[in-house]
Amino acid sequence: QMQLGESGGGLVQAGDSLRLSCTASIGTFSRYGVAWFRQAPGKERRFVAAVGWNSRTKYYTDSVKGRFTISRDNANNTVSLQMNALKPDDTAIYYCAATRWSDAQAMSRSRPTYWGQGTQVTVSS
């Protein structure tokens, strides 16, 4: 059973950067596609970005393209989300999620198997 833990959230101003990290408890982490989702107050949870299990595919929702970058470090069981040029609309709880043998685009279309507890990102104007 995989456990995922997010870190790196916080309160920043518009235009600032944050780096979120997702760390997995399982040694076969490299077999999992990993995605970030976010849920703003009063809204549904939505896909943000994903990296495929073999690191060859990455996929982003349109609103973060050019600002967010997802990367993975299998040696440390970690996936990171570098968020630049943050906007107040990026304010949300950010969740890490994983599915075995999944590519990046598939992570955006189906509900992942494992979820973290989330980390709050607040961007003030």
Side-chain angles (χ1 to χ4, degrees), residues 42-122:
K43 296 186 178 180
E44 294 182 351
R45 192 173 300 186
R46 295 190 179 275
F47 171 82
V48 176
V51 56
W53 69 272
N54 60 8
S55 302
R56 293 177 185 171
T57 58
K58 296 181 181 180
Y59 190 70
Y60 301 89
T61 192
D62 286 347
S63 63
V64 307
K65 286 180 180 177
R67 299 189 299 124
F68 291 11
T69 302
I70 191 169
S71 60
R72 68 185 303 159
D73 177 359
N74 289 334
N76 291 300
N77 283 5
T78 300
V79 167
S80 297
L81 184 68
Q82 177 66 40
M83 306 187 296
N84 298 329
L86 283 161
K87 305 175 182 179
D89 284 349
D90 294 318
T91 295
I93 300 174
Y94 283 71
Y95 297 90
C96 174
T99 299
R100 194 170 183 177
W101 301 126
S102 181
D103 66 29
Q105 194 163 4
M107 296 292 294
S108 71
R109 295 195 300 259
S110 59
R111 180 174 174 82
T113 307
Y114 301 101
W115 292 87
Q117 294 299 307
T119 185
Q120 177 70 47
V121 172
T122 304

